[in-house]
Protein backbone atom coordinates (compact mmCIF):
# COMPACT_ATOMS: atom_id res chain seq x y z
CA UNK A 1 0.00 0.00 0.00
CA UNK A 2 2.83 2.35 0.92
CA UNK A 3 4.60 1.63 -2.38
CA UNK A 4 1.37 2.28 -4.32
CA UNK A 5 1.00 5.69 -2.70
CA UNK A 6 4.62 6.50 -3.49
CA UNK A 7 4.12 5.45 -7.11
CA UNK A 8 0.99 7.60 -7.40
CA UNK A 9 2.81 10.55 -5.90
CA UNK A 10 5.64 10.10 -8.36
CA UNK A 11 3.22 10.02 -11.28
CA UNK A 12 1.52 13.22 -10.15
CA UNK A 13 4.91 14.86 -9.64
CA UNK A 14 6.12 13.84 -13.11
CA UNK A 15 3.01 14.67 -15.13
CA UNK A 16 1.77 17.65 -13.13
CA UNK A 17 5.17 19.35 -13.23
CA UNK A 18 4.31 21.57 -16.22
CA UNK A 19 1.84 23.39 -13.97
CA UNK A 20 4.00 23.17 -10.79
CA UNK A 21 1.02 22.30 -8.60
CA UNK A 22 0.03 19.43 -6.33
CA UNK A 23 -3.38 17.86 -5.71
CA UNK A 24 -5.30 17.45 -2.51
CA UNK A 25 -8.72 15.83 -2.31
CA UNK A 26 -11.53 18.38 -2.57
CA UNK A 27 -9.28 21.36 -3.34
CA UNK A 28 -9.14 23.44 -6.49
CA UNK A 29 -5.56 24.24 -7.41
CA UNK A 30 -4.40 27.35 -9.22
CA UNK A 31 -1.80 26.59 -11.91
CA UNK A 32 1.36 28.61 -11.48
CA UNK A 33 2.81 27.99 -14.92
CA UNK A 34 3.42 30.96 -17.19
CA UNK A 35 2.20 28.78 -20.05
CA UNK A 36 -1.43 28.73 -18.86
CA UNK A 37 -3.89 31.53 -18.09
CA UNK A 38 -3.86 32.47 -14.43
CA UNK A 39 -7.66 32.36 -14.35
CA UNK A 40 -7.76 28.63 -15.16
CA UNK A 41 -8.15 26.29 -12.19
CA UNK A 42 -7.77 22.52 -12.25
CA UNK A 43 -9.72 20.17 -10.02
CA UNK A 44 -8.32 16.80 -9.08
CA UNK A 45 -10.38 15.14 -11.84
CA UNK A 46 -9.05 17.64 -14.38
CA UNK A 47 -5.47 16.97 -13.29
CA UNK A 48 -6.03 13.22 -13.72
CA UNK A 49 -7.43 13.95 -17.19
CA UNK A 50 -4.28 15.92 -18.00
CA UNK A 51 -2.21 12.91 -16.93
CA UNK A 52 -4.22 10.78 -19.40
CA UNK A 53 -3.50 13.37 -22.11
CA UNK A 54 0.21 13.32 -21.29
CA UNK A 55 0.30 9.52 -21.49
CA UNK A 56 -1.41 9.57 -24.91
CA UNK A 57 1.00 12.23 -26.16
CA UNK A 58 3.96 10.14 -25.01
CA UNK A 59 2.52 7.03 -26.72
CA UNK A 60 1.97 8.98 -29.94
CA UNK A 61 5.50 10.40 -29.84
CA UNK A 62 6.91 6.91 -29.27
CA UNK A 63 4.86 5.60 -32.22
CA UNK A 64 6.21 8.46 -34.33
CA UNK A 65 9.77 7.55 -33.32
CA UNK A 66 9.11 3.95 -34.40
CA UNK A 67 7.47 5.19 -37.65
CA UNK A 68 4.14 3.58 -36.76
CA UNK A 69 1.97 6.02 -38.68
CA UNK A 70 -1.33 4.24 -38.11
CA UNK A 71 -0.80 4.16 -34.34
CA UNK A 72 -0.05 7.88 -34.29
CA UNK A 73 -3.43 8.37 -35.95
CA UNK A 74 -5.14 6.17 -33.35
CA UNK A 75 -3.67 8.15 -30.45
CA UNK A 76 -4.53 11.49 -32.10
CA UNK A 77 -8.13 10.34 -32.54
CA UNK A 78 -8.37 9.41 -28.86
CA UNK A 79 -6.81 12.74 -27.82
CA UNK A 80 -9.45 14.62 -29.79
CA UNK A 81 -12.25 12.72 -28.04
CA UNK A 82 -10.67 13.26 -24.63
CA UNK A 83 -10.08 17.02 -24.80
CA UNK A 84 -10.22 19.83 -27.33
CA UNK A 85 -6.83 21.18 -28.39
CA UNK A 86 -7.77 24.61 -26.98
CA UNK A 87 -8.01 23.09 -23.49
CA UNK A 88 -4.34 22.05 -23.54
CA UNK A 89 -1.41 24.08 -22.37
CA UNK A 90 0.59 25.86 -25.11
CA UNK A 91 3.38 23.28 -24.85
CA UNK A 92 0.91 20.41 -25.21
CA UNK A 93 -0.78 22.17 -28.12
CA UNK A 94 2.58 22.48 -29.86
CA UNK A 95 3.32 18.76 -29.34
CA UNK A 96 -0.15 17.86 -30.61
CA UNK A 97 0.33 20.08 -33.68
CA UNK A 98 3.69 18.47 -34.48
CA UNK A 99 2.16 15.00 -34.25
CA UNK A 100 -0.80 16.02 -36.43
CA UNK A 101 1.53 17.52 -39.05
CA UNK A 102 3.63 14.34 -39.05
CA UNK A 103 0.55 12.15 -39.46
CA UNK A 104 -0.95 14.30 -42.25
CA UNK A 105 2.30 14.36 -44.24
CA UNK A 106 2.83 10.62 -43.74
CA UNK A 107 -0.70 9.90 -44.98
CA UNK A 108 0.02 11.80 -48.20
CA UNK A 109 3.18 9.77 -48.81
CA UNK A 110 1.60 6.40 -48.08
CA UNK A 111 -0.07 4.56 -50.95
CA UNK A 112 -3.88 4.47 -50.57
CA UNK A 113 -5.17 1.09 -49.39
CA UNK A 114 -6.31 -1.23 -52.14
CA UNK A 115 -9.78 -2.67 -52.59
CA UNK A 116 -8.29 -6.05 -51.73
CA UNK A 117 -7.47 -4.94 -48.19
CA UNK A 118 -10.48 -6.85 -46.88
CA UNK A 119 -9.49 -10.49 -47.04
CA UNK A 120 -10.15 -13.50 -44.85
CA UNK A 121 -7.47 -15.38 -42.92
CA UNK A 122 -8.61 -17.95 -40.31
CA UNK A 123 -5.15 -18.32 -38.77
CA UNK A 124 -5.79 -16.10 -35.73
CA UNK A 125 -9.37 -14.82 -35.64
CA UNK A 126 -10.83 -12.66 -32.88
CA UNK A 127 -14.48 -11.93 -32.04
CA UNK A 128 -15.28 -8.60 -30.36
CA UNK A 129 -18.61 -9.33 -28.67
CA UNK A 130 -20.49 -8.51 -25.44
CA UNK A 131 -20.06 -11.73 -23.44
CA UNK A 132 -21.35 -10.12 -20.24
CA UNK A 133 -23.80 -7.34 -19.41
CA UNK A 134 -27.17 -6.52 -21.01
CA UNK A 135 -26.26 -7.83 -24.49
CA UNK A 136 -24.51 -10.98 -23.29
CA UNK A 137 -27.15 -13.41 -24.62
CA UNK A 138 -26.84 -11.97 -28.12
CA UNK A 139 -23.03 -11.88 -27.98
CA UNK A 140 -22.76 -15.45 -26.72
CA UNK A 141 -25.20 -16.67 -29.40
CA UNK A 142 -23.18 -15.01 -32.19
CA UNK A 143 -19.94 -16.51 -30.84
CA UNK A 144 -21.50 -19.98 -30.57
CA UNK A 145 -22.75 -19.68 -34.14
CA UNK A 146 -19.25 -18.76 -35.33
CA UNK A 147 -17.66 -21.65 -33.44
CA UNK A 148 -20.14 -24.25 -34.70
CA UNK A 149 -19.87 -23.07 -38.30
CA UNK A 150 -16.06 -23.18 -38.35
CA UNK A 151 -16.05 -26.53 -36.54
CA UNK A 152 -18.00 -28.04 -39.45
CA UNK A 153 -15.54 -26.72 -42.05
CA UNK A 154 -12.59 -28.86 -43.18
CA UNK A 155 -9.88 -26.28 -42.48
CA UNK A 156 -7.66 -25.29 -39.54
CA UNK A 157 -8.76 -22.21 -37.66
CA UNK A 158 -8.18 -20.33 -34.42
CA UNK A 159 -10.99 -18.24 -32.90
CA UNK A 160 -10.84 -16.32 -29.62
CA UNK A 161 -13.29 -13.83 -28.11
CA UNK A 162 -12.83 -10.52 -26.29
CA UNK A 163 -15.65 -9.29 -24.04
CA UNK A 164 -16.35 -5.71 -25.19
CA UNK A 165 -18.53 -5.09 -22.14
CA UNK A 166 -15.49 -4.83 -19.83
CA UNK A 167 -14.13 -1.79 -21.71
CA UNK A 168 -15.41 1.78 -21.60
CA UNK A 169 -14.67 2.33 -25.29
CA UNK A 170 -13.44 0.48 -28.34
CA UNK A 171 -10.23 2.51 -28.16
CA UNK A 172 -9.41 0.86 -24.84
CA UNK A 173 -10.23 -2.56 -26.28
CA UNK A 174 -8.13 -1.83 -29.36
CA UNK A 175 -5.01 -1.42 -27.23
CA UNK A 176 -5.31 -5.10 -26.32
CA UNK A 177 -6.40 -6.13 -29.84
CA UNK A 178 -3.31 -4.46 -31.32
CA UNK A 179 -1.05 -6.50 -29.04
CA UNK A 180 -2.90 -9.71 -29.92
CA UNK A 181 -2.47 -9.02 -33.68
CA UNK A 182 -5.43 -11.01 -35.02
CA UNK A 183 -5.64 -12.04 -38.67
CA UNK A 184 -9.39 -11.27 -38.86
CA UNK A 185 -11.97 -9.67 -36.56
CA UNK A 186 -15.68 -10.45 -36.17
CA UNK A 187 -17.75 -7.72 -34.49
CA UNK A 188 -18.53 -5.50 -32.72
CA UNK A 189 -22.26 -5.98 -32.25
CA UNK A 190 -23.50 -2.63 -30.92
CA UNK A 191 -23.78 0.26 -33.37
CA UNK A 192 -21.91 2.70 -31.10
CA UNK A 193 -18.99 0.27 -30.86
CA UNK A 194 -18.92 -0.13 -34.64
CA UNK A 195 -18.72 3.67 -35.04
CA UNK A 196 -15.89 3.89 -32.48
CA UNK A 197 -13.95 1.11 -34.16
CA UNK A 198 -14.40 2.63 -37.61
CA UNK A 199 -12.88 5.90 -36.36
CA UNK A 200 -9.61 4.08 -35.67
CA UNK A 201 -7.00 3.52 -38.35
CA UNK A 202 -7.77 -0.12 -39.11
CA UNK A 203 -5.44 -2.42 -41.01
CA UNK A 204 -6.93 -5.71 -39.78
CA UNK A 205 -10.00 -6.87 -41.77
CA UNK A 206 -13.19 -6.43 -39.72
CA UNK A 207 -16.68 -7.84 -40.30
CA UNK A 208 -19.01 -5.82 -38.06
CA UNK A 209 -22.54 -6.87 -37.10
CA UNK A 210 -24.19 -3.45 -37.25
CA UNK A 211 -24.39 -0.56 -39.67
CA UNK A 212 -21.56 1.95 -40.13
CA UNK A 213 -21.75 5.39 -41.70
CA UNK A 214 -19.90 6.23 -44.93
CA UNK A 215 -17.92 3.06 -45.47
CA UNK A 216 -15.47 3.27 -48.34
CA UNK A 217 -14.47 0.34 -50.54
CA UNK A 218 -10.86 0.92 -49.41
CA UNK A 219 -11.78 0.52 -45.74
CA UNK A 220 -10.74 -2.62 -43.91
CA UNK A 221 -14.24 -2.89 -42.42
CA UNK A 222 -17.28 -4.56 -43.92
CA UNK A 223 -20.76 -4.95 -42.42
CA UNK A 224 -23.12 -7.92 -42.14
CA UNK A 225 -26.48 -6.75 -40.83
CA UNK A 226 -29.78 -8.58 -41.46
CA UNK A 227 -31.69 -5.32 -40.89
CA UNK A 228 -29.58 -2.95 -43.01
CA UNK A 229 -31.41 0.27 -43.90
CA UNK A 230 -29.06 0.67 -46.88
CA UNK A 231 -30.17 -2.67 -48.34
CA UNK A 232 -33.81 -1.89 -47.53
CA UNK A 233 -33.67 1.43 -49.39
CA UNK A 234 -31.95 -0.24 -52.36
CA UNK A 235 -34.77 -2.81 -52.46
CA UNK A 236 -37.39 -0.06 -52.24
CA UNK A 237 -35.76 1.71 -55.18
CA UNK A 238 -35.85 -1.51 -57.21
CA UNK A 239 -39.56 -2.06 -56.48
CA UNK A 240 -40.41 1.54 -57.41
CA UNK A 241 -38.54 1.24 -60.70
CA UNK A 242 -40.20 -2.08 -61.55
CA UNK A 243 -43.63 -0.53 -60.95
CA UNK A 244 -42.68 2.46 -63.15
CA UNK A 245 -43.46 4.90 -60.34
CA UNK A 246 -42.45 8.46 -61.19
CA UNK A 247 -44.15 10.79 -58.70
CA UNK A 248 -44.14 9.84 -55.04
CA UNK A 249 -44.96 11.28 -51.63
CA UNK A 250 -42.77 10.55 -48.62
CA UNK A 251 -44.22 10.38 -45.11
CA UNK A 252 -42.06 10.54 -41.97
CA UNK A 253 -42.35 11.52 -38.33
CA UNK A 254 -40.03 13.38 -35.96
CA UNK A 255 -37.96 10.31 -35.10
CA UNK A 256 -34.27 10.53 -36.05
CA UNK A 257 -34.37 7.15 -37.78
CA UNK A 258 -37.34 8.19 -39.88
CA UNK A 259 -35.68 11.46 -40.87
CA UNK A 260 -32.45 9.62 -41.71
CA UNK A 261 -34.35 7.26 -44.05
CA UNK A 262 -35.82 10.23 -45.92
CA UNK A 263 -32.39 11.83 -46.26
CA UNK A 264 -30.72 8.62 -47.45
CA UNK A 265 -33.55 7.86 -49.89
CA UNK A 266 -33.30 11.32 -51.48
CA UNK A 267 -29.51 10.88 -51.77
CA UNK A 268 -30.04 7.48 -53.42
CA UNK A 269 -32.43 9.06 -55.92
CA UNK A 270 -29.75 11.55 -56.96
CA UNK A 271 -27.24 8.74 -57.52
CA UNK A 272 -29.64 6.57 -59.56
CA UNK A 273 -29.49 7.00 -63.33
CA UNK A 274 -32.67 5.62 -64.91
CA UNK A 275 -34.62 6.29 -68.08
CA UNK A 276 -37.73 7.33 -66.14
CA UNK A 277 -36.49 9.26 -63.08
CA UNK A 278 -38.44 9.12 -59.84
CA UNK A 279 -39.50 12.48 -58.46
CA UNK A 280 -40.38 13.21 -54.83
CA UNK A 281 -43.19 15.73 -55.14
CA UNK A 282 -43.84 16.07 -51.43
CA UNK A 283 -42.16 15.22 -48.12
CA UNK A 284 -44.59 15.46 -45.21
CA UNK A 285 -43.65 15.18 -41.56
CA UNK A 286 -46.35 13.81 -39.27
CA UNK A 287 -46.33 15.79 -36.03
CA UNK A 288 -49.38 14.28 -34.34
CA UNK A 289 -52.20 13.13 -36.66
CA UNK A 290 -51.79 11.09 -39.83
CA UNK A 291 -55.06 12.34 -41.36
CA UNK A 292 -54.03 16.00 -41.15
CA UNK A 293 -50.59 15.29 -42.59
CA UNK A 294 -51.96 13.20 -45.46
CA UNK A 295 -54.60 15.84 -46.21
CA UNK A 296 -51.78 18.33 -46.59
CA UNK A 297 -49.64 15.99 -48.71
CA UNK A 298 -52.55 15.24 -51.06
CA UNK A 299 -53.61 18.91 -51.29
CA UNK A 300 -57.14 17.89 -50.31
CA UNK A 301 -57.69 21.14 -48.42
CA UNK A 302 -57.21 23.12 -51.64
CA UNK A 303 -60.45 21.76 -53.05
CA UNK A 304 -62.19 23.19 -50.00
CA UNK A 305 -60.94 26.63 -51.00
CA UNK A 306 -62.09 26.20 -54.58
CA UNK A 307 -65.53 25.12 -53.37
CA UNK A 308 -65.80 28.16 -51.12
CA UNK A 309 -64.84 30.57 -53.92
CA UNK A 310 -67.29 29.02 -56.41
CA UNK A 311 -70.12 28.93 -53.84
CA UNK A 312 -69.56 32.60 -53.05
CA UNK A 313 -69.35 33.53 -56.74
CA UNK A 314 -72.60 31.91 -57.87
CA UNK A 315 -74.44 32.56 -54.62
CA UNK A 316 -75.70 29.00 -54.18
CA UNK A 317 -74.87 26.26 -51.71
CA UNK A 318 -73.01 23.38 -53.40
CA UNK A 319 -72.82 19.70 -52.70
CA UNK A 320 -69.13 18.98 -52.23
CA UNK A 321 -66.70 16.11 -52.07
CA UNK A 322 -63.00 16.67 -51.38
CA UNK A 323 -60.85 16.02 -54.42
CA UNK A 324 -57.16 15.34 -53.73
CA UNK A 325 -54.38 15.62 -56.30
CA UNK A 326 -54.46 12.96 -59.01
CA UNK A 327 -50.85 13.13 -60.25
CA UNK A 328 -49.27 10.69 -57.77
CA UNK A 329 -48.14 7.10 -58.25
CA UNK A 330 -46.93 5.94 -54.82
CA UNK A 331 -46.96 6.91 -51.16
CA UNK A 332 -43.87 5.77 -49.24
CA UNK A 333 -43.99 5.85 -45.45
CA UNK A 334 -40.96 5.70 -43.16
CA UNK A 335 -43.06 5.38 -40.02
CA UNK A 336 -43.60 3.26 -36.90
CA UNK A 337 -46.29 0.66 -37.46
CA UNK A 338 -49.02 2.43 -35.44
CA UNK A 339 -48.86 5.40 -37.83
CA UNK A 340 -48.19 3.46 -41.03
CA UNK A 341 -51.28 1.27 -40.65
CA UNK A 342 -53.48 4.41 -40.89
CA UNK A 343 -52.19 5.49 -44.31
CA UNK A 344 -54.00 3.10 -46.67
CA UNK A 345 -57.47 3.53 -45.05
CA UNK A 346 -57.08 7.29 -45.48
CA UNK A 347 -56.10 6.84 -49.12
CA UNK A 348 -59.31 4.82 -49.57
CA UNK A 349 -61.26 7.65 -47.92
CA UNK A 350 -59.96 9.99 -50.62
CA UNK A 351 -60.86 7.41 -53.33
CA UNK A 352 -57.17 6.84 -54.08
CA UNK A 353 -57.34 3.06 -53.80
CA UNK A 354 -55.14 2.69 -56.88
CA UNK A 355 -52.35 4.61 -55.20
CA UNK A 356 -49.74 2.11 -53.94
CA UNK A 357 -48.51 2.40 -50.34
CA UNK A 358 -45.01 1.11 -49.52
CA UNK A 359 -44.08 0.90 -45.85
CA UNK A 360 -40.43 0.72 -44.81
CA UNK A 361 -40.45 0.71 -40.97
CA UNK A 362 -38.33 3.33 -39.27
CA UNK A 363 -38.04 0.71 -36.54
CA UNK A 364 -39.19 -2.91 -36.58
CA UNK A 365 -41.95 -3.47 -34.01
CA UNK A 366 -41.91 -6.54 -31.75
CA UNK A 367 -43.25 -9.56 -33.61
CA UNK A 368 -46.19 -9.98 -31.23
CA UNK A 369 -47.35 -6.40 -31.77
CA UNK A 370 -47.28 -6.58 -35.56
CA UNK A 371 -49.07 -9.96 -35.58
CA UNK A 372 -51.80 -8.49 -33.34
CA UNK A 373 -52.20 -5.51 -35.68
CA UNK A 374 -52.45 -7.53 -38.93
CA UNK A 375 -56.30 -7.53 -39.11
CA UNK A 376 -56.28 -3.72 -39.19
CA UNK A 377 -53.86 -3.24 -42.10
CA UNK A 378 -55.22 -2.45 -45.57
CA UNK A 379 -53.52 -2.77 -48.97
CA UNK A 380 -49.95 -2.10 -47.81
CA UNK A 381 -46.70 -3.36 -49.32
CA UNK A 382 -44.31 -3.78 -46.40
CA UNK A 383 -40.54 -4.05 -46.93
CA UNK A 384 -39.33 -6.41 -44.20
CA UNK A 385 -36.24 -8.53 -43.47
CA UNK A 386 -36.72 -12.20 -44.36
CA UNK A 387 -35.93 -13.47 -40.86
CA UNK A 388 -38.47 -11.05 -39.34
CA UNK A 389 -41.19 -12.09 -41.78
CA UNK A 390 -40.46 -15.75 -41.00
CA UNK A 391 -40.99 -15.06 -37.29
CA UNK A 392 -44.34 -13.41 -38.06
CA UNK A 393 -45.50 -16.35 -40.16
CA UNK A 394 -44.47 -18.84 -37.48
CA UNK A 395 -46.16 -16.75 -34.82
CA UNK A 396 -49.36 -16.72 -36.85
CA UNK A 397 -49.19 -20.51 -36.79
CA UNK A 398 -48.53 -20.44 -33.02
CA UNK A 399 -45.32 -22.39 -33.55
CA UNK A 400 -42.91 -20.19 -31.63
CA UNK A 401 -42.39 -17.99 -28.68
CA UNK A 402 -38.98 -16.74 -29.81
CA UNK A 403 -36.75 -14.41 -27.77
CA UNK A 404 -34.69 -13.52 -30.82
CA UNK A 405 -31.50 -15.24 -29.59
CA UNK A 406 -31.78 -17.78 -32.44
CA UNK A 407 -31.36 -14.91 -34.89
CA UNK A 408 -27.98 -14.03 -33.40
CA UNK A 409 -26.83 -17.64 -33.56
CA UNK A 410 -27.81 -17.69 -37.24
CA UNK A 411 -25.93 -14.41 -37.72
CA UNK A 412 -22.75 -15.98 -36.36
CA UNK A 413 -23.10 -19.00 -38.65
CA UNK A 414 -23.81 -16.84 -41.69
CA UNK A 415 -20.81 -14.60 -40.94
CA UNK A 416 -18.46 -17.60 -40.95
CA UNK A 417 -19.87 -18.89 -44.24
CA UNK A 418 -19.76 -15.41 -45.80
CA UNK A 419 -16.06 -14.78 -45.18
CA UNK A 420 -15.09 -18.31 -46.26
CA UNK A 421 -16.94 -17.72 -49.54
CA UNK A 422 -14.62 -14.77 -50.18
CA UNK A 423 -11.76 -17.23 -50.65
CA UNK A 424 -13.62 -18.98 -53.46
CA UNK A 425 -13.31 -17.81 -57.04
CA UNK A 426 -17.00 -18.00 -57.87
CA UNK A 427 -18.83 -16.16 -55.11
CA UNK A 428 -22.47 -17.15 -55.11
CA UNK A 429 -25.59 -16.40 -53.12
CA UNK A 430 -25.59 -17.99 -49.68
CA UNK A 431 -29.01 -19.03 -48.44
CA UNK A 432 -29.79 -18.84 -44.74
CA UNK A 433 -32.70 -18.35 -42.38
CA UNK A 434 -31.77 -14.65 -42.23
CA UNK A 435 -32.29 -14.32 -45.99
CA UNK A 436 -30.22 -14.66 -49.14
CA UNK A 437 -26.73 -13.24 -48.67
CA UNK A 438 -24.95 -11.84 -51.71
CA UNK A 439 -21.55 -10.20 -52.18
CA UNK A 440 -20.98 -7.43 -54.70
CA UNK A 441 -17.84 -6.70 -56.72
CA UNK A 442 -16.50 -4.48 -53.92
CA UNK A 443 -16.78 -7.28 -51.34
CA UNK A 444 -19.76 -5.73 -49.59
CA UNK A 445 -22.34 -8.05 -48.07
CA UNK A 446 -26.08 -7.62 -48.69
CA UNK A 447 -29.15 -9.30 -47.23
CA UNK A 448 -31.93 -7.67 -49.20
CA UNK A 449 -35.43 -7.66 -47.66
CA UNK A 450 -38.60 -8.77 -49.41
CA UNK A 451 -42.00 -7.19 -50.00
CA UNK A 452 -44.98 -8.56 -48.07
CA UNK A 453 -48.64 -7.81 -48.67
CA UNK A 454 -50.59 -6.70 -45.57
CA UNK A 455 -54.36 -6.58 -45.96
CA UNK A 456 -57.03 -7.37 -43.32
CA UNK A 457 -55.13 -10.23 -41.72
CA UNK A 458 -53.33 -11.39 -44.87
CA UNK A 459 -49.54 -11.56 -44.68
CA UNK A 460 -48.04 -12.83 -47.94
CA UNK A 461 -44.71 -12.50 -49.67
CA UNK A 462 -44.97 -10.65 -52.99
CA UNK A 463 -41.41 -10.92 -54.28
CA UNK A 464 -40.53 -14.26 -55.94
Amino acid sequence: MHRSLLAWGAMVAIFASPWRCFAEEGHVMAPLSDNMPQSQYLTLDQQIQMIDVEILLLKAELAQKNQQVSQVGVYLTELKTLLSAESLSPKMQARFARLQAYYDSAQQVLQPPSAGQFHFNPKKMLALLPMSGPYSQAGQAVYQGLQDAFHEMPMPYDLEVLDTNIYDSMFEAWEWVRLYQPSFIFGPLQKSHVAELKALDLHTPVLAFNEAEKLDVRDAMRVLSPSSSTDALASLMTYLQESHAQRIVLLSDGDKKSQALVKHFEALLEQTDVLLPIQVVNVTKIDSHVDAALEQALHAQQSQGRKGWLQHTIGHRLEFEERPRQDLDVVVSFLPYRLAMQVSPLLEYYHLNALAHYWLPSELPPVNQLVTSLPYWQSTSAILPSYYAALIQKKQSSKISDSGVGIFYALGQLAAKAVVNLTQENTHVTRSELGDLSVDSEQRFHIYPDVYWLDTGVFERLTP
Side-chain angles (χ1 to χ4, degrees):
M1 181 68 178
H2 179 64
R3 289 183 179 179
S4 297
L5 290 172
L6 286 177
W8 170 249
M11 284 288 288
V12 172
I14 291 170
F15 294 118
S17 59
W19 303 281
R20 296 198 299 274
C21 61
F22 62 92
E24 293 183 10
E25 185 69 34
H27 288 276
V28 176
M29 309 305 298
L32 303 177
S33 172
D34 295 333
N35 296 325
M36 299 188 70
Q38 292 293 325
S39 60
Q40 183 174 346
Y41 292 88
L42 297 177
T43 63
L44 178 59
D45 288 340
Q46 289 171 329
Q47 290 183 57
I48 293 173
Q49 191 176 46
M50 285 300 178
I51 291 173
D52 292 337
V53 170
E54 177 67 26
I55 292 173
L56 285 171
L57 283 170
L58 289 173
K59 285 184 174 182
E61 288 166 346
L62 181 61
Q64 178 188 7
K65 183 179 179 180
N66 294 330
Q67 297 184 343
Q68 297 174 322
V69 178
S70 63
Q71 287 307 306
V72 173
V74 169
Y75 294 129
L76 288 175
T77 299
E78 182 64 10
L79 278 166
K80 292 172 185 176
T81 60
L82 192 61
L83 262 178
S84 63
E86 295 76 16
S87 303
L88 303 176
S89 68
K91 286 185 177 180
M92 282 185 165
Q93 288 185 30
R95 293 165 66 190
F96 182 89
R98 285 195 296 270
L99 288 165
Q100 188 68 59
Y102 163 77
Y103 179 72
D104 292 340
S105 62
Q107 287 293 96
Q108 293 176 3
V109 174
L110 290 174
Q111 293 293 328
S114 65
Q117 183 175 352
F118 184 82
H119 57 275
F120 175 62
N121 183 352
K123 182 180 178 181
K124 197 177 182 182
M125 298 179 294
L126 179 66
L128 300 178
L129 296 168
M131 304 300 283
S132 61
Y135 300 102
S136 59
Q137 279 191 313
Q140 291 168 13
V142 171
Y143 184 57
Q144 189 64 50
L146 285 167
Q147 283 187 314
D148 290 350
F150 282 118
H151 183 71
E152 294 174 0
M153 297 179 187
M155 66 177 189
Y157 73 93
D158 181 27
L159 175 64
E160 298 293 338
V161 64
L162 180 66
D163 185 1
T164 56
N165 189 59
I166 64 177
Y167 296 95
D168 292 332
S169 69
M170 287 310 300
F171 176 80
E172 290 185 13
W174 190 252
E175 289 290 285
W176 186 90
V177 173
R178 187 171 59 87
L179 294 174
Y180 185 72
Q181 295 184 333
S183 61
F184 192 89
I185 295 174
F186 291 99
L189 185 62
Q190 293 109 300
K191 191 170 185 177
S192 59
H193 287 175
V194 174
E196 290 174 357
L197 191 61
K198 182 182 177 297
L200 302 177
D201 192 6
L202 300 176
H203 288 278
T204 304
V206 175
L207 182 61
F209 296 125
N210 214 314
E211 293 188 272
E213 297 291 333
K214 299 179 180 179
L215 272 180
D216 190 88
V217 64
R218 297 172 297 177
D219 291 333
M221 178 182 285
R222 295 294 186 273
V223 168
L224 178 62
S225 173
S227 302
S228 167
S229 60
T230 302
D231 290 345
L233 288 172
S235 295
L236 171 62
M237 183 66 68
T238 300
Y239 303 142
L240 292 175
Q241 291 171 352
E242 290 176 351
S243 63
H244 305 291
Q246 290 184 260
R247 297 174 62 82
I248 66 175
V249 167
L250 300 183
L251 300 178
S252 69
D253 65 353
D255 183 72
K256 290 182 179 180
K257 294 180 180 179
S258 178
Q259 295 295 311
L261 285 171
V262 171
K263 182 179 178 180
H264 291 163
F265 179 74
E266 291 179 327
L268 186 61
L269 278 179
E270 294 179 0
Q271 300 167 9
T272 304
D273 185 19
V274 292
L275 184 62
L276 298 174
I278 298 172
Q279 179 185 0
V280 177
V281 298
N282 189 285
V283 179
T284 300
K285 178 181 174 183
I286 298 174
D287 294 319
S288 55
H289 299 290
V290 179
D291 54 349
L294 199 58
E295 181 183 32
Q296 177 186 350
L298 298 175
H299 294 177
Q301 74 278 14
Q302 293 183 7
S303 62
Q304 286 272 11
R306 292 192 294 270
K307 171 246 184 180
W309 175 83
L310 182 60
Q311 191 170 259
H312 174 75
T313 301
I314 64 177
H316 290 283
R317 182 178 178 83
L318 299 174
E319 293 295 327
F320 169 74
E321 184 177 288
E322 286 186 326
R323 177 178 171 81
R325 61 189 305 168
Q326 305 291 312
D327 60 341
L328 301 176
D329 299 314
V330 174
V331 173
V332 175
S333 61
F334 301 123
L335 298 170
Y337 83 102
R338 292 185 184 277
L339 298 180
M341 64 191 297
Q342 301 177 44
V343 174
S344 291
L346 287 168
L347 291 177
E348 184 179 3
Y349 168 77
Y350 288 115
H351 304 293
L352 294 175
N353 307 59
L355 199 59
H357 171 215
Y358 282 92
W359 173 49
L360 199 164
S362 54
E363 186 167 4
L364 288 173
V367 171
N368 287 340
Q369 292 184 13
L370 188 60
V371 169
T372 303
S373 71
L374 286 178
Y376 308 104
W377 286 86
Q378 293 183 25
S379 306
T380 299
S381 300
I383 300 173
L384 302 172
S386 300
Y387 79 88
Y388 181 80
L391 291 175
I392 291 175
Q393 291 169 333
K394 290 177 181 178
K395 191 68 178 177
Q396 282 184 301
S397 304
S398 302
K399 292 181 180 179
I400 62 164
S401 177
D402 194 276
S403 63
V405 174
I407 296 169
F408 292 102
Y409 177 82
L411 180 60
Q413 288 207 313
L414 183 58
K417 296 174 183 177
V419 293
V420 169
N421 280 346
L422 290 178
T423 63
Q424 301 175 359
E425 292 185 4
N426 298 319
T427 303
H428 53 275
V429 174
T430 303
R431 300 195 178 279
S432 77
E433 60 184 280
L434 296 181
D436 293 345
L437 173 72
S438 60
V439 185
D440 63 22
S441 59
E442 297 177 343
Q443 296 182 311
R444 289 180 296 200
F445 298 97
H446 304 281
I447 306 177
Y448 293 109
D450 292 309
V451 178
Y452 295 85
W453 181 249
L454 279 62
D455 186 35
T456 56
V458 175
F459 184 85
E460 293 180 347
R461 180 180 174 181
L462 292 179
T463 48

